[in-house]
Every structure is written in C-alpha cells, then in structure tokens.
Amino acid sequence: IGLIREGKQPADRRVALTPSQCKEVMQRFPDVDLLVQRSPVRAYTDAEYEVMEIPMADDLSDRELIIGIKEVPLDMLMNGKAHQFFSHTIKEQPHNAKLLKAILEKKVRLIDHELLTDPNGDRVLAFGYWAGVVGAYNAFRGWQLTHGGPVLKPAHECHDLEELEEHLHAYPLPTDLRIVLTGGGRVGKGAMGILERAGVVRVKPDAFLGNTFEGPVYTVLGSADLYEREDGQPFDKAAFHKDPTGHRSKFLPYVKLAKMYLACHYWDARGPKILSAQDLKDPALTLEVIADISCDIGGPIDSTLRATKIADPFFGYDPSTGKEVQAGTKGTITVMTVDNLPAELPRDASDAFGRDLIERVLPSLINDDKEDMIGRATIAEDGKLSEHFQYLAEYAKG
C-alpha cells in the first residue's frame, strides 16, 4: 500500500493515515508493506512520519494499492494499479469525466471511498462530521464580520480543534442569539458539537417558536418539522424520504425568529425549496447569517449562489435583488458556502478518517472481502466499468 501525496489544486492537506496510524497498521497487519509518498503540503509533515520510522519515498510505482483523499490528477494515475480515493464521478460530475476516462484507459482499479458501506448500506468513511464542525465555526466568523468583537482566527490557521475551541470560547455571544439547524446526520452532529461548546443551549422546535430565552439557543429541525404535504394530509416521514414531491417547506416561521441558519441536511433534488428567493424577501425575516454547510448550488436555499473558497468564505446576499454583494453590506445576509470544509482542520479530520479506515476497511482490503465491501465500491477495473456502474459508460467517454 502506498499513501499518495495530494496533487489536486488547491492543495488538500489531509491524509488517509496519520504517522501513528501508519505505525499501528504496520504492527497489526504484518503482511502489509506500507510506504508514504513525501509531501510538502500534508498537515502531518514528512518529519513526523520519519520520527515514527514510517518508510518514505517519492516513487510509489512498486505499490499494488494507492490510497489518497481527493481526485488524483491524470498524470499521477499509475497504469494497472488499484487506486482508492473520493472520485466524485458516480453522479456524473462534469469536471471529472476526463478522470474516469483516464482510469479506464490506464486500466486502473478505482475503489471509491464514498461507496464503502456496511451490510446495512451505511457509509463507513466520511468527513461529514468535520464539515459540520468547521461550518458552524465559520457561521460565528460570519457573525463577527458584521457585529465586531474579537476576531475569530480562521479554522485553517488553527493547529487543530483544540486551538479552534480556544478562539470560540473567547468570543462573547449575544444573549438573544437564536440559531436554527436543519439535518441531524454526521454533518449536523459536528455543527451541534460546536454550538454546545460555544455555550448555545438546544431547545425543541415548538419551544423555539413559542418562548423567550435568557441566553443563546438553537433548535434542530427534522423532516417532519421542515416540510408538510401540499394536499393537507398528515406528514409521512417514510413516504417523504421515498419521494419528496408533493411537499412544501414550512421553514419561514423559524427564520422570522432566528438570526443564524446552519444548513446540514441531505437534499433530494426532487424535493421542495427550503428557503426560496421570495421567502428571503420577507420583511419579517431576521436572518443575518446563513452557513450552507451542505452547499447545494441551485438547490433548496436560493441564497447559495455559488461555492466559496477557504481563503474567502463569505459573500453578501441582497434579498431585494437576489444578487451577490460585498459581505457585511448593510441590509444583506452574510452567506458561507465553502464546499471543502473538512480540509480546514486536516489533522483532526485525517485522524478520524484513518481510524475508520483501519477498523472498518483495511480488514476487507487485506483479508477476504466476505461482505463484498470492496467489490461494491469498485467503479472500474481492467479497463471496464463494474456491473453496477455501467450507467457511466457515456459519461466515461470524457
């Protein structure tokens, strides 16, 4: 196995296994010959690997399996080798069509992290929790941008989560701050963790709408709180998740009270808008910051005009025109739409990812793949698309 240095630009500083985890792999799996490719950008330095006596090299051409995080640049793909990374191809993402074409031409076996699932179909490798952590922190940075107070150091300039929390604890939150959050999965749990650490108290949705509070509070909305049927019939959660058509949002009462909105939900493209441009024009709206952590461009939140970058995470949304303006402009909403948030805390995110890789994936990679975890996650092999990914044939022509 070789750990590849990340080649996609802008550079991603995450890695699949930290130095101590590499040492653990070498001890727990003696049949594994592990090699780490040197990297000038990785959050864990080459020196940290060398201190742990992890073999290092510039050339991975003798490896059978190459593991990375982001898409591998075409010129770094190795002919006939197995590669495991997030390919972002299964939804036929236009920018990666050439990547899949090259994978087939070079007879690369592509194992996609996103497709590694347990027998119940649940993903075993993901960075969603860390997207929630950084996204919620960025929401407070957006608040500081317009309200002042101590400057919150950008997450990517913090050494780790511990330093981020130190800055968060030093920021005084207003007692009347109300926050609404949609989505309770990995992303939502990461965001909730930050809110709790900041001293924001969770309340139930009905209490959020009906009560006054002595300090900052937040509420979490599930699908039953967020949507209703257009025909007036009782909401059926199972039916909604099977087919969300015929439903509408009932979100507006919350954002007539909330000053900050954290979007952490999964959105089905067949589903209704959560917050339309018309909703955003409502003069009773109290929102000042929207952190769209899910970042669905053209999706359920009409203020999500584009994805932003780590170095410049905010823009202003003018509700009267639906246009982007300078962040902090009076009368506008500060919007955060960074689409690679976990990369801002690469050490913590890498550590969590590597732990899952060791415990939940390596046994199937190294030993018998009894549950077909690796087989299900294989998109291509020997120049051909796997059975379940034949639908990508036209896309794979590049």
Side-chain angles (χ1 to χ4, degrees), residues 208-209 249-258:
F208 187 89
L209 291 177
S249 168
K250 54 177 183 177
F251 188 47
L252 207 52
Y254 295 95
V255 287
K256 288 182 178 180
L257 293 171

Side-chain angles (χ1 to χ4, degrees), residues 276-383:
S276 69
Q278 192 60 41
D279 293 334
L280 289 160
K281 287 182 179 180
D282 193 312
L285 204 75
T286 55
L287 278 181
E288 298 182 40
V289 175
I290 297 176
D292 190 351
I293 302 170
S294 299
C295 192
D296 295 301
I297 311 299
I301 304 170
D302 279 347
S303 56
T304 303
L305 302 176
R306 61 178 177 89
T308 55
K309 302 298 183 184
I310 288 173
D312 188 16
F314 306 108
F315 63 83
Y317 176 83
D318 185 346
S320 65
T321 63
K323 302 291 186 181
E324 177 181 336
V325 297
Q326 181 68 35
T329 302
K330 187 176 181 180
T332 67
I333 299 170
T334 299
V335 178
M336 191 287 303
T337 55
V338 175
D339 60 359
N340 60 335
L341 289 162
E344 293 208 53
L345 283 179
R347 292 179 71 92
D348 297 276
S350 295
D351 184 66
F353 184 89
R355 177 51 46 203
D356 284 336
L357 181 65
I358 291 172
E359 302 295 344
R360 309 186 72 181
V361 179
L362 282 187
S364 294
L365 273 171
I366 296 165
N367 305 314
D368 292 332
D369 186 22
K370 295 178 181 178
E371 296 175 348
D372 198 35
M373 173 189 284
I374 310 304
R376 290 194 304 272
T378 297
I379 293 176
E381 189 172 11
D382 295 326

Side-chain angles (χ1 to χ4, degrees), residues 147-341:
H147 290 271
V151 174
L152 288 166
K153 187 176 182 178
H156 67 275
E157 295 180 9
C158 296
H159 181 70
D160 53 18
L161 178 61
E162 184 177 352
E163 183 184 352
L164 179 148
E165 289 182 349
E166 289 175 1
H167 293 287
L168 184 61
H169 290 151
Y171 189 82
L173 296 179
T175 57
D176 62 345
L177 179 61
R178 290 193 184 197
I179 302 170
V180 63
L181 185 154
T182 53
R186 281 192 180 98
V187 180
K189 286 180 172 59
M192 290 179 223
I194 286 294
L195 296 180
E196 298 286 347
R197 293 182 186 101
V200 186
V201 176
R202 182 173 177 174
V203 299
K204 293 182 178 180
D206 56 350
F208 187 89
L209 291 177
N211 294 355
T212 57
F213 304 96
E214 296 182 355
V217 298
Y218 77 98
T219 196
V220 180
L221 305 185
S223 52
D225 306 303
L226 193 53
Y227 302 105
E228 63 185 2
R229 288 176 53 135
E230 291 179 338
D231 62 8
Q233 294 298 309
F235 181 82
D236 183 325
K237 182 178 178 180
F240 172 80
H241 287 287
K242 185 176 181 180
D243 182 2
T245 58
H247 292 78
R248 63 190 171 210
S249 168
K250 54 177 183 177
F251 188 47
L252 207 52
Y254 295 95
V255 287
K256 288 182 178 180
L257 293 171
K259 295 185 178 180
M260 189 182 293
Y261 170 34
L262 309 183
C264 306
H265 53 263
Y266 170 79
W267 184 67
D268 187 322
R270 299 172 297 170
K273 293 280 186 183
I274 293 174
L275 199 55
S276 69
Q278 192 60 41
D279 293 334
L280 289 160
K281 287 182 179 180
D282 193 312
L285 204 75
T286 55
L287 278 181
E288 298 182 40
V289 175
I290 297 176
D292 190 351
I293 302 170
S294 299
C295 192
D296 295 301
I297 311 299
I301 304 170
D302 279 347
S303 56
T304 303
L305 302 176
R306 61 178 177 89
T308 55
K309 302 298 183 184
I310 288 173
D312 188 16
F314 306 108
F315 63 83
Y317 176 83
D318 185 346
S320 65
T321 63
K323 302 291 186 181
E324 177 181 336
V325 297
Q326 181 68 35
T329 302
K330 187 176 181 180
T332 67
I333 299 170
T334 299
V335 178
M336 191 287 303
T337 55
V338 175
D339 60 359
N340 60 335
L341 289 162

